[in-house]
Amino acid sequence: MKMLKSVLHILLLSCSKATGLIEKELYFRLSPIDKIRLFMHAGICGFCHRYRKHSRLLDRLMIELHHTHQHAQEPAEQDVTALKQRIIDSLEKK
């Protein structure tokens, strides 16, 4: 029983640690154990599962916006409005 508790303690994450790994995985490769821990946590916790989806969406949209406006100082107001609408539409679909 003690062995099972120690294994579960290693594998299970708090939401705080899970969100840290979610952000980390956007820019770095996670270790195999961290991938497993995050997969298990996101499978159980609906909030972290949605946070992960939204985080990926925002990252992808920001990269797209950056590539669209590489030489401009500020994005045009119509582009910002369009991006906001795309974010809202994407979140409503989920």
Side-chain angles (χ1 to χ4, degrees), residues 9-36:
H9 180 69
I10 292 169
L11 291 178
L12 296 180
L13 295 171
S14 66
C15 289
S16 176
K17 289 182 181 180
T19 55
L21 287 177
I22 289 168
E23 295 303 319
K24 183 179 176 182
E25 85 175 328
L26 291 173
Y27 306 104
F28 304 102
R29 177 172 261 136
L30 295 180
S31 70
I33 190 73
D34 283 342
K35 285 182 184 181
I36 292 169

Side-chain angles (χ1 to χ4, degrees), residues 57-72:
L57 171 68
L58 289 173
D59 188 59
R60 190 181 80 242
L61 291 173
M62 292 304 292
I63 289 170
E64 185 179 312
L65 180 66
H66 175 74
H67 289 299
T68 303
H69 297 285
Q70 278 184 337
H71 302 291

